């Protein structure tokens, strides 16, 4: 069970493909941390999964057309990936007692890939589970709890979201950023304003909330980055 009112952990999984028999190759997560001074720091991490011999023995389980999307080759995974049992231990240690939300939710693709991971590692199960609500639903719940209508505020924030990149941690970061921004907006005299006023104000978000106060990813090198590189080359 998660601790009452504790921030959730948002996860994202990159896989060998989107088909039956595909397997996880990268797991990333982002946890909002509310600091004493009111800032929201995002603890962002990821781990590459070293494919088992059993997974690689069947060529149909690896979709080569997905490589340009997620940016990972089998050679990179074999060189830099962690053994399956190590990945399971890391997830169990990190996620124990937390609400863990995925963009596909309980019973979706991410749940299937986690089951594939734990079964191949020979684990009986995991000591945590995915939330029934998808990541977007968990974010929407946070906005509503703070008196903000997610149907109005989330679309208005969309242009300011961190880029979607198919690097697992960066994609998990997008939901954690929204969750943290709800906390910040609720302290910025926006609650109770008419919808039209809110939308107009959020068109110039930096004028409402200086970027230095936006949720910031912790400055450590524990997750794979793609967004900054791709944004520069776009």
């Amino acid at each position: 069970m998660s601790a009452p009112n504790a921030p959730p952990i948002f996860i994202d999984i990159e896989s060998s493909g989107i088909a039956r028999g595909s397997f996880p190759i990268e797991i990333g997560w982002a946890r909002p941390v509310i600091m004493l001074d009111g800032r929201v720091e995002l603890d962002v991490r990821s781990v590459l999964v070293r494919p088992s011999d059993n997974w690689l023995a069947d060529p149909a389980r690896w979709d080569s057309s997905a490589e340009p999307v997620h940016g990972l080759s089998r050679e990179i995974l074999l060189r830099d990936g962690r053994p399956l049992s190590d990945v399971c231990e890391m997830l169990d240690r990190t996620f124990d007692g937390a609400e863990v939300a995925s963009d596909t939710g309980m019973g979706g693709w991410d749940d299937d890939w986690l089951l594939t991971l734990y079964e191949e590692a020979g684990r009986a199960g995991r000591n945590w589970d995915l939330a029934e609500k998808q990541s977007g639903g968990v974010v929407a719940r946070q906005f509503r709890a703070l008196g903000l209508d997610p149907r109005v505020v989330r679309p208005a924030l969309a242009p300011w979201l961190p880029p979607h990149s198919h690097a697992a941690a960066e994609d998990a970061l997008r939901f954690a950023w929204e969750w943290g921004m709800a906390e910040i907006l609720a302290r910025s005299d926006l609650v109770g304003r008419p919808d039209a006023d809110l939308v107009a104000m959020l068109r110039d978000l930096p004028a409402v909330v200086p970027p230095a106060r936006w949720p910031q990813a912790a400055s450590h090198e524990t997750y794979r980055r793609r967004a900054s590189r791709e944004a520069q080359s776009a």
Side-chain angles (χ1 to χ4, degrees):
M1 298 293 292
S2 59
N5 302 317
I9 299 176
F10 296 96
I11 74 166
D12 187 81
I13 299 177
E14 295 299 320
S15 68
S16 63
I18 303 289
R20 185 174 183 179
S22 58
F23 53 85
I25 60 176
E26 181 185 33
I27 302 173
W29 59 94
R31 184 203 304 254
V33 180
I34 302 174
M35 312 302 285
L36 292 177
D37 61 3
R39 293 181 300 109
V40 178
E41 187 174 278
L42 306 177
D43 184 17
V44 187
R45 304 178 187 271
S46 67
V47 59
L48 296 181
V49 181
R50 185 185 304 164
S52 69
D53 292 341
N54 182 45
W55 287 349
L56 293 178
D58 182 357
R61 301 185 77 168
W62 181 270
D63 181 358
S64 58
S65 67
E67 282 190 46
V69 177
H70 53 60
L72 294 168
S73 66
R74 282 169 289 194
E75 291 72 25
I76 290 174
L77 296 171
L78 291 170
R79 183 191 69 206
D80 299 333
R82 299 280 294 272
L84 305 186
S85 58
D86 288 2
V87 174
C88 293
E89 289 288 349
M90 181 185 300
L91 301 184
D92 285 348
R93 184 174 61 251
T94 303
F95 298 162
D96 187 24
E99 178 182 28
V100 183
S102 153
D103 62 347
T104 64
M106 179 182 288
W109 277 107
D110 289 341
D111 219 358
D112 286 346
W113 287 320
L114 289 167
L115 179 62
T116 298
L117 168 67
Y118 276 74
E119 285 184 343
E120 188 70 9
R123 310 275 291 208
R126 55 188 192 262
N127 63 359
W128 56 277
D129 217 332
L130 291 181
E132 290 187 19
K133 285 183 178 292
Q134 297 176 354
S135 294
V138 172
V139 168
R141 182 189 67 197
Q142 167 75 345
F143 277 98
R144 287 192 295 269
L146 295 172
L148 295 165
D149 188 342
R151 297 169 299 179
V152 175
V153 181
R154 290 189 72 197
L157 288 177
W160 308 100
L161 274 172
H164 179 69
S165 71
H166 288 288
E170 288 184 335
D171 290 348
L173 171 65
R174 291 164 56 85
F175 293 104
W177 186 91
E178 282 190 283
W179 193 99
M181 187 57 79
E183 285 280 337
I184 293 169
L185 292 177
R187 304 189 207 110
S188 301
D189 194 31
L190 297 182
V191 175
R193 289 181 177 270
D195 292 348
D197 290 354
L198 265 178
V199 171
M201 293 176 70
L202 293 176
R203 287 196 187 103
D204 189 8
L205 181 62
V208 179
V209 180
R213 289 176 50 207
W214 295 4
Q216 302 290 330
S219 57
H220 49 60
E221 296 297 322
T222 53
Y223 68 96
R224 183 174 66 105
R225 292 167 169 81
R226 294 185 80 203
S228 59
R229 172 177 58 81
E230 292 183 354
Q232 291 169 1
S233 62

